[in-house]
Amino acid sequence: MEAILKRYFGYETFRTGQRELISYIVNNESALGILPTGGGKSICYQVPGLIRGGLTLVISPLISLMKDQVDSLNAAGINAAYLNSNLKAAEEREILTGLAYKRYQFLYVAPERFNQLAFRQMLNQLDIRLIAFDEAHCISKWGHDFRPSYRQVIHFTRQFDCPFLAVTATATIDVKKDIQSLLGIIDSHVIETSTRRDNLAFKVDPTYQKEKMVREYVKKHQDDSGIIYAGTRKQVEALSEQFSHLKINHTIYHAGLSKNEREENQAKFVHDDCPVMIATNAFGMGIDKSNVRYVIHYNMPQDLESYYQEAGRAGRDGLESECILMFSEQDIRLQQFFISTSDESIQEKKKEKLEKMIHYTKTTQCLQGTIINYFNPDEHLKPCGKCSNCLSQGAYDMTNEALKILSCLIRMKDSVHRLLLIKVLRGEDDREVKDYHYHLLSTYGLLKEYETKELNRFLDTLLFNGYIHEAGGKMICHPSAKEVLIKKMEVMTHYEPVNYKEKVTIKTISEVNEQLFNELKKVRKQLASDLSVPPFTIFSDQTLILFAKKMPTTKQEMIHIEGVGSYKLKHYCPQFLDCINEYLSMAR
């Protein structure tokens, strides 16, 4: 497996969760992978597809994603194609002929293609050895991007004697169980890694001067690529007008534009011709542009799934990036209106999700931790140290209360649910407390002067700082609690919401020759233009940074850099080596 990974994709080792998923597929067993954006989901079906041979059928609800994936595979020397409504008749005939002659290793199709009888009959003639469901949350009726056509595809795919692999970046417990049920995936074959993205700094900004903030931010980061999401087409147009007046290079995307306009504007952004994209949520899902340095939400989305999916388009290359959410009470009213116009059968569920989204804008706990806790309530939390809440100073020293809470939890020995712990701390005369003899503990009633709401706030602070772990609705002390119990480490919390107004900055490159990095970007841009592919399919910013840091002068040195595979070494690296050697000769 590692040999395939290195040869075609240029990586020495697999990321967390990838090897396990690939092993299931190689052993002819279906699996579900829930990996964060930028976590390498596509490799989870591309590597086993190459190992198993034959044809891998990738079902994707996103036309833009298909093209990016196929471009990337072809750039790595892997034969791939896609079938969707964007193809001309002659192009489609050429691909169908290629499939008949077994020219392709990967075929990407949209779910709607299965409505065609001729297509389904054609599939029966192919040697399909793996079926991958990309953006699998779209299969589930509980997913935030549910596509009924995607769900209907499953019936047609059951006839093939091959494993299924479903991958997604965002799946709540309900969505995960729904996907498993539909595809027949057992619990032990679900690989779910943390949604934590250590390179992302999440910010919440409740400013009333949204336009001013966005203008100043974009002007300050004019060399960076970024996305600004607005709630309506009208807002997109208004921001675009301001940017045009300020001569800020940008483009726009919303459903009101013609198909050609949308495709043209998307291409400008993906190919780095326009660094800034202003768009509604019609843009972005499946856009595999790795060097987006910031995502700004001008308006609050309807749920955390949508927010994390959109914000997660920042920093896919692993470099430091920012996700800024601006919100106002007007945003809440707008989302409530959208919910009122939706199907009555799902309105209550949408209202619950909106409440969680509102909670995110109000919480004083770690923002990254809040997102992680939403998707996986059992995951152990720790502060990210870089979000707007982590960077702001807590207003209240709760170290004394923390000592009492942790001491009480330890004395209760077994893991206990939150409400029972609060009852003991408050010294309540409760039957459950007495049944377990907790009223006899020395810690019984230690915090009787506090209300339940206040104790919940203290517990949340300990939870989000990693001192308490909550899984399956039960709380236990984490080993890190010793830092408070023994070392008396200070624990701060808030009684008032944070008013975060700190200026934000981005650091994308450290200890790198920036002049060489910019020259390498020019080489990549020209090469991508010659091949008519997006620049990031040649090499990511991260790989170019490694070039600029290590300055390889031979192919032997370059092959050891992450992101350089055998195919790219032969076809692309000579131009980059020439650039590096020319730079070094001028520097001498």
Side-chain angles (χ1 to χ4, degrees), residues 20 43 51 81 90 100 123 127 144 181 190 221 240 254 276 302 326 333 362 408 442 473-474 481 511 516 531 538 567:
E20 294 90 332
I43 277 179
I51 292 173
L123 288 183
D127 182 21
H144 62 283
S181 174
V190 177
H221 302 96
S240 176
H254 59 66
V276 181
Q302 196 173 106
M326 309 172 78
R333 290 192 292 272
K362 308 290 186 185
C408 185
S442 60
K474 300 291 185 70
E511 300 176 7
L516 175 57
L531 296 172
I538 305 295
Y567 183 88

Side-chain angles (χ1 to χ4, degrees), residues 12-215:
E12 299 283 352
T13 57
F14 289 104
R15 295 181 184 177
T16 304
Q18 287 180 330
R19 204 177 204 288
E20 294 90 332
L21 285 169
I22 292 168
S23 296
Y24 288 135
I25 302 304
V26 170
N27 292 326
N28 210 39
E29 299 169 313
S30 296
L32 166 62
I34 305 171
L35 285 71
T37 300
K41 293 183 291 297
S42 57
I43 277 179
C44 294
Y45 56 78
Q46 289 168 351
V47 169
L50 292 168
I51 292 173
R52 290 177 66 86
L55 180 71
T56 294
L57 180 65
V58 183
I59 305 170
S60 170
L62 306 162
I63 290 176
S64 58
L65 178 63
M66 289 183 205
K67 187 177 187 313
D68 289 343
Q69 293 281 5
V70 168
D71 284 344
S72 294
L73 286 170
N74 287 329
I78 300 168
N79 293 326
Y82 62 82
L83 288 172
N84 62 40
S85 57
N86 281 355
L87 292 175
K88 296 177 182 177
E91 292 173 323
E92 184 168 321
R93 283 196 299 272
E94 183 180 349
I95 291 169
L96 293 174
T97 300
L99 287 167
Y101 283 95
K102 300 182 178 181
R103 291 176 190 158
Y104 301 113
Q105 296 159 285
F106 292 85
L107 175 65
Y108 287 73
V109 298
E112 292 75 17
R113 178 69 53 160
F114 282 80
N115 295 331
Q116 301 176 12
L117 177 60
F119 174 73
R120 300 200 302 270
Q121 291 174 336
M122 183 270 293
L123 288 183
N124 290 327
Q125 309 304 314
L126 304 179
D127 182 21
I128 297 175
R129 301 189 187 179
L130 168 62
I131 297 178
F133 293 87
D134 212 346
E135 305 292 347
H137 60 275
C138 296
I139 296 173
S140 173
K141 63 183 178 181
W142 304 120
H144 62 283
D145 281 311
F146 174 50
R147 307 282 180 89
S149 60
Y150 204 178
R151 195 181 183 93
Q152 293 162 5
V153 163
I154 297 168
H155 168 71
F156 300 115
T157 58
R158 294 193 187 282
Q159 62 184 298
F160 298 103
D161 184 23
C162 67
F164 294 154
L165 175 63
V167 291
T168 181
T170 52
T172 59
I173 293 173
D174 289 339
V175 171
K176 178 170 63 176
K177 293 298 181 185
D178 201 19
I179 294 171
Q180 284 184 250
S181 174
L182 290 166
L183 298 179
I185 298 170
I186 60 177
D187 288 343
S188 60
H189 288 181
V190 177
I191 301 298
E192 184 172 8
T193 62
S194 176
T195 54
R196 181 180 297 277
R197 299 273 304 280
D198 290 331
N199 64 312
L200 299 186
F202 290 88
K203 318 285 183 183
V204 170
D205 191 332
T207 180
Y208 290 100
Q209 297 181 310
K210 287 185 178 184
E211 293 179 359
K212 181 181 178 183
M213 183 273 179
V214 170
R215 288 198 308 268

Side-chain angles (χ1 to χ4, degrees), residues 474-488:
K474 300 291 185 70
M475 288 188 150
I476 58 172
C477 275
H478 188 265
S480 61
K482 292 178 181 178
E483 296 175 354
V484 179
L485 291 165
I486 298 174
K487 298 179 182 179
K488 302 296 188 293

Side-chain angles (χ1 to χ4, degrees), residues 458-493:
F458 293 151
L459 285 172
D460 280 342
T461 298
L462 294 172
L463 177 71
F464 279 83
N465 280 277
Y467 302 128
I468 286 177
H469 180 48
E470 190 170 22
K474 300 291 185 70
M475 288 188 150
I476 58 172
C477 275
H478 188 265
S480 61
K482 292 178 181 178
E483 296 175 354
V484 179
L485 291 165
I486 298 174
K487 298 179 182 179
K488 302 296 188 293
M489 179 173 285
E490 184 180 71
V491 182
M492 304 297 293
T493 190

Side-chain angles (χ1 to χ4, degrees), residues 68 225-227 266 268-275 283 286-293 312-317 524 534-536:
D68 289 343
S225 181
I227 303 172
Q266 178 174 306
K268 288 178 182 177
F269 179 67
V270 170
H271 288 81
D272 291 339
D273 295 324
C274 286
F283 173 80
I287 297 300
D288 196 23
K289 182 173 167 61
S290 62
N291 63 337
V292 176
R293 293 277 73 84
R313 284 159 199 147
R316 296 183 64 150
D317 53 10
R524 180 181 66 179
F536 62 82

